[in-house]
Amino acid sequence: MRKSFFSKVGNKFVISEEGQEVIKSTFIIPFSETGNRKPKTSTVPENNLSETDIKIIEGYQKQLEQKDLQLSELHKLLNQQQQLTLHSNQQNERLQLQLESYENMESNPSDSEIEPDQSKQKKWWKFWK
């Protein structure tokens, strides 16, 4: 029956209109009366896969599992790096504030800092007075 759908013209195979309809009907089923069509879902059972196909699929599944593990490890490392960066930035801010306060103390000495300098200027014999 299949041979009736095909004919050879030169180096080409030609499919008759009836053969085209048979091919289309295997892939498309009517969706509604308006003529909309919907592709058929595959009815081929997965048990028809060869051993090499199954091995290839299993290999890909193992690769995906490894990639998932690598991705989760990279996520952890990225989170750790972000936490370290945040901690370093906070520490830098604290040091900057300390430096600013130290510079302010040097530029504006307080009264308590002046008194020790004045006590050094006193003569030793006036110390008991």
Side-chain angles (χ1 to χ4, degrees):
M1 180 174 190
R2 282 188 244 170
K3 289 186 179 184
S4 65
F5 300 137
F6 297 99
S7 62
K8 189 169 184 179
V9 176
N11 291 333
K12 300 177 183 177
F13 283 102
V14 178
I15 302 172
S16 67
E17 288 184 23
E18 186 180 330
Q20 290 177 12
E21 290 299 320
V22 170
I23 292 172
K24 287 179 184 178
S25 68
T26 59
F27 293 107
I28 299 175
I29 58 171
F31 184 66
S32 69
E33 296 177 2
T34 59
N36 293 335
R37 297 179 179 252
K38 174 179 157 182
K40 273 189 180 178
T41 57
S42 176
T43 58
V44 178
E46 293 182 13
N47 296 338
N48 290 342
L49 297 175
S50 67
E51 286 184 37
T52 55
D53 292 340
I54 292 172
K55 287 180 182 179
I56 290 171
I57 291 170
E58 288 173 352
Y60 286 147
Q61 286 175 339
K62 287 179 184 178
Q63 285 180 356
L64 282 174
E65 289 172 2
Q66 289 174 350
K67 297 297 178 190
D68 287 342
L69 289 174
Q70 289 175 350
L71 186 61
S72 66
E73 184 65 28
L74 286 174
H75 249 308
K76 289 177 188 176
L77 291 173
L78 179 62
N79 286 339
Q80 288 176 352
Q81 180 62 40
Q82 288 174 341
Q83 289 175 359
L84 286 173
T85 302
L86 177 65
H87 180 70
S88 295
N89 288 342
Q90 289 173 344
Q91 189 174 10
N92 286 342
E93 287 177 11
R94 283 193 300 265
L95 289 173
Q96 186 68 29
L97 289 173
Q98 285 178 353
L99 180 63
E100 288 174 4
S101 67
Y102 179 74
E103 289 173 349
N104 286 340
M105 286 174 48
E106 283 184 349
S107 65
N108 298 326
S110 66
D111 293 336
S112 61
E113 291 180 358
I114 295 174
E115 290 178 10
D117 291 339
Q118 289 176 351
S119 65
K120 287 181 183 178
Q121 293 176 359
K122 292 183 178 180
K123 304 291 182 190
W124 66 271
W125 61 85
K126 295 185 179 180
F127 183 72
W128 288 280
K129 290 187 177 182

